[in-house]
């Protein structure tokens, strides 16, 4: 891309940020593009509260758990290791550890109510803070206890996110800018419904994502198709009448990057600006997103950003490259990279 074209791209984004029309060439190219967002940890800063709920549900069943082992550092490690993964996977890992320790499965322990009472006491304090029913209340009959662990997890997560879900930093202004540029947007998430629609409402993003723009690997397929399966990205692209090669995916997890890559999405942008990714692990997380370990072709994110408001520049650059018939891998102009605020990785 020539320097003069890049200046036009950056100028168009600045105009869109002010609510003004971008230059005609850039506007025309952007109308052919679509941005497909993962939700948890990209649009919605929901990974931390959702993973905290998961931690307090699973904590009583960790192999060898004691009250002393329930610490902030243990919880933070759990969130870091499991963010972006399906709860079913977390249960499988915990059950494998229990089996190796000669313990019964989580389902059997829950059915027989054989959890350690001292552990439940610590867990109940946290559950009360989240507004979730305590084990004490459930076991006394004061509150309902779902027999199915997965149903319990889904219901409790939805209730927590109904009040705790908020947008990631810079998301509302980014969506406004993309709209001014004429770029179509949709959600392509593994997470189920009603979890994501509830979170969209709580985060006040319904203006951009009405129900028909929310696509779920868990809820829109039977059986569910979890990332890195490409199905949810293919569905989202089709819904926006965009070829996958003309779409941009925004992801915060290895499985999500793999899903977008397996779907043939034209540009994958990694994001490390949500609260569940601590500053000290942002670099390693970004490099993991770029590694493409869950992609069949080994292709990961081409660029990773820490500031979501930089996304429109990348989308406009991508749209112009596609208008010229070019496809990945892209060479990002120095003028573009120099304009990016915050840390980035290429």
């Amino acid at each position: 891309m020539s320097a003069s074209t890049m200046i036009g791209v950056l100028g168009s984004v600045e105009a869109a940020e002010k609510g003004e029309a971008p230059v005609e060439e850039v506007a025309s190219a952007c109308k052919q593009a679509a941005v497909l967002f993962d939700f948890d940890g990209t649009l919605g800063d929901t990974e931390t509260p959702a993973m905290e709920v998961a931690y307090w549900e699973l904590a009583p069943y960790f192999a060898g758990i004691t009250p002393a082992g329930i610490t902030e550092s243990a919880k933070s490690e759990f969130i870091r290791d499991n963010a972006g993964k399906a709860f079913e996977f977390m249960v499988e890992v915990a059950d494998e550890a229990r089996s190796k320790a000669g313990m019964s499965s989580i389902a059997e322990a829950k059915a027989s109510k054989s959890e350690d009472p001292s552990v439940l006491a610590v867990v109940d304090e946290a559950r009360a803070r989240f507004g979730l029913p305590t084990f004490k209340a459930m076991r006394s009959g004061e509150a309902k206890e779902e027999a199915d662990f997965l149903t319990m997890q889904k219901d409790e997560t939805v209730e927590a996110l109904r009040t705790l879900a908020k947008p990631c930093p810079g998301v509302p202004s980014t969506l406004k800018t993309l709209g001014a540029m004429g770029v179509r947007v949709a959600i392509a998430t593994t997470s189920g419904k009603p979890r994501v629609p509830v979170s969209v409402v709580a985060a006040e993003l319904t203006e951009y994502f009405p129900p028909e723009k929310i696509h779920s690997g868990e809820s829109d397929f039977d059986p569910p198709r979890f990332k890195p399966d490409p199905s949810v990205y293919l569905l989202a692209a089709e819904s926006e009448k965009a070829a996958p090669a003309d779409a941009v995916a925004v992801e915060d997890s290895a499985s999500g990057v793999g899903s977008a890559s397996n779907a043939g999405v034209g540009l994958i942008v990694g994001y490390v600006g949500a609260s569940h990714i601590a500053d000290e692990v942002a670099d390693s997380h970004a490099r993991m997103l770029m590694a493409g370990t869950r992609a069949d072709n080994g292709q990961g994110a081409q660029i990773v950003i820490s500031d979501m408001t930089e996304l429109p520049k990348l989308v406009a650059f991508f749209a112009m490259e596609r208008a010229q018939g070019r496809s990945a891998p892209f060479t990002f102009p120095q003028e573009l990279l120099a304009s990016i605020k915050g840390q980035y990785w290429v």
Side-chain angles (χ1 to χ4, degrees), residues 57 110 113 124 127 131-149 151-153 155-156 159:
E57 288 167 337
K110 187 174 185 300
K113 299 179 175 54
D124 273 353
R127 290 180 64 85
L132 301 175
T134 63
F135 278 93
K136 181 178 180 180
M138 290 187 289
R139 298 293 161 82
S140 68
E142 295 177 19
K144 180 182 178 181
E145 180 176 5
E146 289 286 351
D148 179 69
F149 200 36
T151 299
M152 173 180 170
Q153 182 269 338
D155 290 349
E156 291 187 345
E159 285 307 307

Side-chain angles (χ1 to χ4, degrees), residues 314-334:
L314 301 177
V315 174
F317 162 75
F318 167 77
M320 288 294 288
E321 289 288 275
R322 290 296 296 152
Q324 296 298 316
R326 289 187 280 270
S327 57
F330 299 104
T331 299
F332 297 102
Q334 190 55 44

Side-chain angles (χ1 to χ4, degrees), residues 7 11 14 20 63 103 109 137 150 168 182 196 251 253 313 339:
I7 290 172
E14 287 184 13
E20 301 169 1
M103 303 172 68
L150 185 57
C168 285
V196 176
E251 276 287 354
S253 70
K313 296 175 184 177
S339 74

Side-chain angles (χ1 to χ4, degrees), residues 100-182:
K100 290 178 180 178
M103 303 172 68
S104 63
S105 69
I106 292 174
E108 291 169 334
K110 187 174 185 300
S112 63
K113 299 179 175 54
S114 58
E115 305 93 345
D116 183 335
S118 63
V119 170
L120 290 186
V122 176
V123 169
D124 273 353
E125 292 180 7
R127 290 180 64 85
R129 290 197 300 271
F130 271 84
L132 301 175
T134 63
F135 278 93
K136 181 178 180 180
M138 290 187 289
R139 298 293 161 82
S140 68
E142 295 177 19
K144 180 182 178 181
E145 180 176 5
E146 289 286 351
D148 179 69
F149 200 36
L150 185 57
T151 299
M152 173 180 170
Q153 182 269 338
K154 290 180 178 178
D155 290 349
E156 291 187 345
T157 301
V158 168
E159 285 307 307
L161 292 178
R162 199 180 297 277
T163 55
L164 296 175
K166 60 182 180 179
C168 285
V171 162
S173 62
T174 296
L175 293 171
K176 185 175 182 179
T177 299
L178 290 174
M181 291 163 55

Side-chain angles (χ1 to χ4, degrees), residues 75-119:
K75 183 183 70 175
S76 296
E77 182 178 356
F78 174 87
I79 292 173
R80 184 176 64 248
D81 292 346
N82 290 283
K85 297 176 182 176
F87 187 70
E88 293 90 332
F89 172 82
M90 302 176 216
V91 173
E92 288 177 8
V93 171
D95 265 336
E96 287 176 7
R98 289 178 65 88
S99 178
K100 290 178 180 178
M103 303 172 68
S104 63
S105 69
I106 292 174
E108 291 169 334
K110 187 174 185 300
S112 63
K113 299 179 175 54
S114 58
E115 305 93 345
D116 183 335
S118 63
V119 170

Side-chain angles (χ1 to χ4, degrees), residues 8 52 60 74 87 134 161 221 234 256 268 299 305 312 325:
E52 285 206 41
F87 187 70
T134 63
L161 292 178
F221 302 92
L234 294 173
I268 303 173
Q299 298 299 308
I305 56 176

Side-chain angles (χ1 to χ4, degrees), residues 190-227:
T190 279
S191 297
K193 302 172 183 177
R195 168 178 166 161
V196 176
V198 161
S199 298
V200 167
V201 171
E204 300 182 346
L205 299 177
T206 50
E207 174 185 353
Y208 306 101
F209 301 106
E212 64 271 18
K213 283 182 172 283
I214 301 173
H215 309 284
S216 164
E218 177 178 313
S219 301
D220 291 348
F221 302 92
D222 186 15
R225 300 180 187 176
F226 297 119
K227 298 175 181 178

